Structure formats: C-alpha cells, structure tokens
Amino acid sequence: MRAEAVTNPEVLGRSVEGIADWHYQFDHMNPLCTDLRYRGQASRFQPPWGEVMCVVTTNSGVWGLGMGSLAGVTAPLINDYLAPMLSGEPIEDRERLWEMMTVACGSHFGASGVASYAISAVDLALWDAAGKLADKPVYELLGTTDPQPVRCYATGSDLEWFGELGFEAFKLACPWGPDTTAAIDQLVDLVGNGRELVGPSADLMLDCWAVQSVEHAISIGEAVRAFDIEWIEDMIYPEDWDGYSQVRSALPDHRLAAGERWYTDLPFLRAIEYGWVDVLQPDPLWVGGVTPCRRIANAAATAGYDLALHCGANDSYGQHLSAALSGNLWAEMYIGCSRGSPLMNSYRATPGMNLPLKGMLQPSDAPGFGIELSLSDIERATA
Ligand SMILES: [Mg+2]
C-alpha cells in the first residue's frame, strides 16, 4: 500500500476563489469576533492551506482516493508519518488501521484537529480502494444493498433559490457575530422572514456557526422559539464541554445539534453519555473518515440519538455514508455557490456524484465511492 498526498483543489469541482469570497463575506466566520480588537478580521484567522488528495495503492494496482483539507500540514503528515506506518498492511483491516493511526497520533501529538483531517483522507482512500477491489459501492460494504433515497436540506441564505432547486427543507446560517442585542433582533427578523418564505410546514434549521457564548446561545434559543425550528446547531465553541450542558439545561424544549468540529468518535460518545444534543453531525472528511462515522452511527442508534452527517450530500463520501448509516436522518447540501450556478460548483462536489432531485438523494452505484477521476486526472491536477 502506498499513500500519497498531493495538493490541488481544482479536481474537487469547486471554485476555490468563490468559496474564499463566500467565507470572507461574514464576520461570523471569525472565531475571535467576540473580542472587539479582532472584529472584521476574518481573513487573519483563515487557514492558508488548500485541499489534499490521498491515493492509496494496493499490491494488485487497485487504488483508492481520499480527499481532505489543510494540505500544507496534512500532506506531510500523511506522507512522512501515516503512509510508512500503514505500508504493507492489509486494507481489509480498516478498523484496526484507523485505530493504529488514531492511537499513534493521539499518543504523540493529538488525534484531533489537523491529525484527524489527515487520517480522514487516508481512511476514505482505504474504503474507496476496498470498494473497487470488491467491485461494490461503499454503501454495500457498509451493509446496505438497496439504499433508499435520503432526504436533503439546503444550507445557506437564499431560501427562495433553494426552493426553486427543489429543496423542501432548509438551514439558515446565523450571519452575525455574538453578544449584541442588535444581532438577536436581526436574527429574529432573519428567521421570521425565512419561516414566512418556506411556509409553516417546511423543516427549517438554524446554524449558529459555533462562535456564540453560552449566554448568547441561550438568548438565541429563547428568541427563535416562536418559529418552530427543527434544530439549532453549533451554538457554542466546539470544545466548550460544560457549555453544552448549560445550553441543554436552559433550552430543554429545543432540538440541539452539534458535531461537525468534533474529531474521532470520543466527543460523540460523551455527547450521548451526557445528553448534550439531540442530533449528531460528524463530517466524514474531518472526523476521521468512514470508520469513526460508522462507530458513531452505531452508538447513536443504540442510544436513540439522531444522526445528520455534516455536508452529507456535498460529496461522494458523505452521500454513501448518508445512505448507508443507520439513524441518518438527513443529508446536508451546503450551497457554496451563488444563485444560478450549477450545484456541481457547490462546496467540495466530487466528479461523478449525483445531485439531489426534488430534495432527495440517491448515491452513485459505481464501485468504491464512484468518484470519476483517473490517476492521470489526479496527476495532472496535482502536478
Ligand atoms: Mg454547520
């Protein structure tokens, strides 16, 4: 087995320039905006690295492709540390290999954050190769032979356009920084207008982008109570573990969601143990790949918690997992392009993937994850 990390975002089918512009539009992407000294400085805190692609090659020549982020650090982490560690191991042992990578990273420098992005790319490549070797789609390797269409919701602010695209469920992104009364008033207007636009029966969620203080998060929950929000997501700093309990206690009637910025299965197990949220949202490209998603899904199903993969409709990886994992309620389509653009220009779309039709998604049935890139495509795009 050979894992090779290469960097180039173009083959992901996404416009890097467009994504960057989109992120810089809103101060809420600034994780330090609660401090007045850093307001309006979102670009100062944006990671400067592009996307990573990881190719795993087996002895028989069959190969798999994993994708991820933060290439400036994840590419050397894969090539210098994870690839030599895994070389010669059988890819059938993916559970053990994931634990090997996670325990090794965790023992030396931490398995969360950047390490988790690197492990994700390797694990996804291993599953892609395993599917191609078995000539089966990954959802079938996960035990689902006849995947049913998955309900999708669209995330963003242009709900009118999302409705025209056939979506019937929506998630608004809270576009203001925390800790001002004005932001609460504006948020009430935003959510109220959104509810009016989509009608009383459509599912409408609210994403707070994980920058709120506990106090502000609780204020938000109280302020939007009248609008029948399906769930409120990422209300506080991702690792404010005590904060989750405080928000949960203060807002017992709201459905709460979190998990896109949690890494490995451990925070999800703690969330289940302490009842922090109702909906768990691991991201396959960030949490560590297919393997921890399956572990989280199994634990959630056993404990009666819901699963809604972060960006589950946005790429081939999330699509297979959204269709295969038990308890997954929704696939999220994060619309990262402007009105009128083809959805294949959206956030991290992969060539060969299906797009939602009338708000429902059916993953490709091609072997592996069905990503339509040849080795020469990858080589050319990443040279
Ligand atoms: Mg989110």
Side-chain angles (χ1 to χ4, degrees):
M1 178 179 12
R2 184 171 58 93
E4 183 175 272
V6 282
T7 60
N8 190 309
E10 290 177 12
V11 293
L12 295 176
R14 57 184 277 199
S15 161
V16 169
E17 203 173 309
I19 292 288
D21 287 347
W22 192 90
H23 279 299
Y24 295 150
Q25 279 176 27
F26 302 119
D27 193 47
H28 73 273
M29 290 302 289
N30 179 351
L32 292 157
C33 65
T34 53
D35 188 324
L36 286 176
R37 290 171 296 181
Y38 306 129
R39 285 249 165 111
Q41 298 181 30
S43 60
R44 182 176 176 183
F45 305 111
Q46 285 290 328
W49 305 294
E51 310 309 308
V52 68
M53 303 180 81
C54 173
V55 175
V56 166
T57 309
T58 66
N59 295 340
S60 62
V62 172
W63 57 277
L65 174 64
M67 297 184 187
S69 307
L70 309 176
V73 279
T74 51
L77 192 48
I78 292 169
N79 289 333
D80 300 342
Y81 190 58
L82 300 178
M85 187 192 305
L86 267 58
S87 182
E89 291 284 354
I91 71 162
E92 291 80 7
D93 292 6
R94 292 182 295 286
E95 189 84 23
R96 178 174 64 82
L97 300 183
W98 183 83
E99 287 178 2
M100 179 196 287
M101 293 188 284
T102 301
V103 172
C105 290
S107 301
H108 286 290
F109 44 78
S112 293
V114 167
S116 185
Y117 284 79
I119 293 169
S120 299
V122 175
D123 184 83
L124 293 168
L126 291 170
W127 278 87
D128 189 42
K132 289 175 178 172
L133 272 172
D135 197 28
K136 289 179 178 173
V138 169
Y139 62 69
E140 202 167 326
L141 297 189
L142 290 166
T144 299
T145 53
D146 182 24
Q148 300 303 298
V150 185
R151 287 189 299 170
C152 297
Y153 66 87
T155 298
S157 56
D158 195 345
L159 304 189
E160 196 172 3
W161 180 43
F162 303 162
E164 290 167 14
L165 291 171
F167 290 98
E168 296 178 349
F170 311 89
K171 190 166 75 192
L172 282 166
C174 174
W176 298 287
D179 295 333
T180 67
T181 307
I184 290 282
D185 294 342
Q186 289 171 295
L187 183 68
V188 168
D189 283 345
L190 177 89
V191 177
N193 291 337
R195 170 54 76 197
E196 201 172 316
L197 191 74
V198 302
S201 58
D203 287 303
L204 181 65
M205 300 79 155
L206 176 64
D207 191 337
C208 297
W209 296 87
V211 293
Q212 319 290 339
S213 66
V214 167
E215 294 73 24
H216 193 70
I218 293 168
S219 300
I220 287 176
E222 289 168 347
V224 301
R225 185 162 270 132
F227 301 114
D228 191 20
I229 300 298
E230 171 64 14
W231 73 61
I232 308 179
E233 173 175 326
D234 274 349
M235 303 185 82
I236 53 174
Y237 182 72
E239 296 184 355
D240 183 359
W241 310 122
D242 290 339
Y244 289 106
S245 296
Q246 293 170 40
V247 174
R248 174 76 286 170
S249 301
L251 301 173
D253 302 332
H254 273 300
R255 273 166 65 75
L256 304 177
E260 68 183 73
R261 298 288 176 185
W262 292 347
Y263 307 102
T264 80
D265 51 340
L266 279 178
F268 296 89
L269 299 180
R270 293 179 71 186
I272 289 171
E273 183 180 356
Y274 295 110
W276 288 335
V277 294
D278 306 282
V279 185
L280 303 171
Q281 301 176 296
D283 185 310
L285 276 66
W286 302 350
V287 75
V290 172
T291 303
C293 283
R294 185 168 63 169
R295 293 159 75 122
I296 293 161
N298 290 343
T302 301
Y305 281 72
D306 293 329
L307 193 71
L309 293 185
H310 179 249
C311 290
N314 278 85
D315 55 60
S316 305
Y317 305 110
Q319 292 191 359
H320 278 250
L321 286 164
S322 293
L325 294 179
S326 65
N328 189 68
L329 289 182
W330 294 95
E332 174 183 24
M333 187 83 193
Y334 176 76
I335 312 291
C337 55
S338 51
R339 176 183 273 254
S341 298
L343 279 187
M344 282 303 286
N345 289 348
S346 201
Y347 181 58
R348 78 189 193 193
T350 42
M353 76 176 204
N354 290 338
L355 289 170
L357 283 177
K358 296 184 177 173
M360 301 297 284
L361 178 78
Q362 187 79 38
S364 154
D365 61 2
F369 288 105
I371 298 170
E372 293 179 355
L373 289 173
S374 66
L375 279 177
S376 57
D377 288 336
I378 295 168
E379 208 159 297
R380 198 167 43 245
T382 55

